[in-house]
Structures are given as C-alpha cells and as structure tokens.
Amino acid sequence: MPHQILVADDDPHIREIICFALEKAGMKTQAVSDGAAALQAIERREPDLVVLDIGMPEMDGLEVCRRLRQRSDVPVLFLSARDEEIDRILGLEMGGDDYVTKPFSPRELVARVNVILRRARAVPEPADDRAFAHGKLSLTPASHGASFDGKALALTAIEFSILKGFLARPAHVLGRDLVVASAYAANIHVADRTVDSHIRNIRAKLAAAGCLDAIETVHGVGFRLGRCGA
C-alpha cells in the first residue's frame, strides 16, 4: 500500500509543491494549514510520516511535535524558512527525524522522506537481528528496543541507527561520514551540524537514563562510544 504522508504548512503553494512531489513518487498525501489541524488529522488516522513546518502561526511545528511525541513515534520531517542551528537542534531534540530548509528541492525532500520511511518501517536483515550490548547499554534491532541499565530509551529511527553504528564498532572512532552512512541512504547530504544535533540528542536521552559517558568526542576526528556505565 502507498505510504500515507501528512503535510502541515500554512503556505498553500508549499503544500501544493510537496503534495505533488510526494504523489508523483507514489505516496498518498493529506494537507493541513495549521498545527491544530495536524494533530486532529493524526488523531483520526496516524500517517506513516508527517512533513511539519516549524513556522506555522498559532501553534508552531515544534509545539505540534512536542504534543505528538507524548503519544506517538510517527516520523517527522521538519521544514523551516530559517537555516539557524538553534531551530535545527530544537527540532531534532523534540523528536524530529530530519530537517529541510526552505527553499528546498522537491526531489531532495522526497529522497529524505524515503530514507526516513525505510528506517522506520524496514524489516531487519538476519544479520541485524543480533542484540548489541556495551557496558549497561543494549540494543535489539529486531524489536527496535534500546535500554540503559534496564531503563527503556525512546529513540527515533535515525538515533537508533546511529547508536547501532557505534555499538557495531565499539572500539572505533567514527567520523561524521561514517555516522551518516550508518543512518542515511547513499547520496544523501547531511550537514555536520545535523549529525552533531543527533549526537547531542542521543547523549541527552542516555544522560536522562543515568549514562553520562555514552559518546565521546575525539576532537578533529569524530566520535567514539564511551564506557556506557561499565
């Protein structure tokens, strides 16, 4: 069945462009013009993914995502007219899976939507069914389960893939290109600050569970898995 995509943006022209591009790619779309309508649409029928504009009036996209994450892990792709790091960080830390800045290429947006959908819905290959453990941190790809010292972690699909990449190479220092390769499809450009925001979000979630040494920064090289409470 075609993927169901909800598009929430207060600009009718932007909604039309996005819906046209997604439908041309074989998806079905529903468009709404404000945050409240987006939440109502999701309540009636949860889509496979939400394309969510940050700068909507009355209830912005960040608030929509905050409320959404209280009851759903549906993937979210944020849109913003401002290419500012604080917006990107807030969006990802709220639980967004990716971030696209306006003006954008419809082809790139469709590619990013497809990447998120594959990560969120893919059936793991047999080799990925094995559980990963390091210190008190454990991941079970088959059930998308993650925990630290027995406490469940609520990770987005991208965060889960990044963390799995570290657990698969616990002794290695991973540059940003390898971090991206573990979480995104080939030929998708991801800005360094987007990677850094995902790492920051993973660290924050693990810190909240009691792990203060999850991912270490190796300056000028990349990142390395920490002791994770070991």
Side-chain angles (χ1 to χ4, degrees), residues 17 20 27 69-70 75 89 102 134-135 137 156 166-167 176 208 212:
I17 290 174
F20 178 80
M27 305 178 205
R69 284 293 174 256
Q70 294 174 356
I89 291 171
K102 301 175 183 178
H134 182 78
L137 176 64
T156 67
F166 281 106
L167 284 166
R176 287 181 176 83
L212 303 179

Side-chain angles (χ1 to χ4, degrees), residues 60-110:
D60 65 22
L62 295 176
E63 177 62 17
V64 173
C65 189
R66 186 188 69 79
R67 297 190 187 189
L68 182 58
R69 284 293 174 256
Q70 294 174 356
R71 55 186 175 83
S72 172
D73 61 354
V74 60
V76 171
L77 172 65
F78 278 115
L79 298 176
S80 178
R82 302 195 311 170
D83 186 18
E84 294 190 10
E85 184 175 16
I86 187 62
D87 288 340
R88 189 181 302 269
I89 291 171
L90 283 173
L92 296 174
E93 291 184 348
M94 283 285 184
D97 294 88
D98 205 349
Y99 186 107
V100 172
T101 304
K102 301 175 183 178
F104 56 85
S105 159
R107 290 180 63 184
E108 179 187 358
L109 184 140
V110 170

Side-chain angles (χ1 to χ4, degrees), residues 3 11 16 29 31 51 81 89-90 93 99 105 119-120 128 137 185 190 217:
H3 288 294
D11 186 328
E16 182 179 358
T29 64
V51 178
I89 291 171
L90 283 173
E93 291 184 348
Y99 186 107
S105 159
R119 291 293 179 184
D128 289 334
L137 176 64
V190 179
T217 298

Side-chain angles (χ1 to χ4, degrees), residues 155-218:
L155 303 175
T156 67
I158 295 293
E159 292 164 3
F160 189 94
S161 295
I162 289 174
L163 197 52
K164 188 176 77 170
F166 281 106
L167 284 166
R169 310 172 186 85
H172 293 193
V173 176
L174 304 185
R176 287 181 176 83
D177 56 340
L178 289 178
V179 174
V180 168
S182 70
Y184 291 88
N187 301 320
I188 295 294
H189 173 73
V190 179
D192 285 352
R193 55 188 172 183
T194 297
V195 175
D196 293 345
S197 295
H198 283 307
I199 295 292
R200 186 181 298 109
N201 203 24
I202 292 169
R203 283 172 170 161
K205 290 182 178 181
L206 280 160
C211 179
L212 303 179
D213 57 353
I215 299 175
E216 302 172 351
T217 298
V218 181

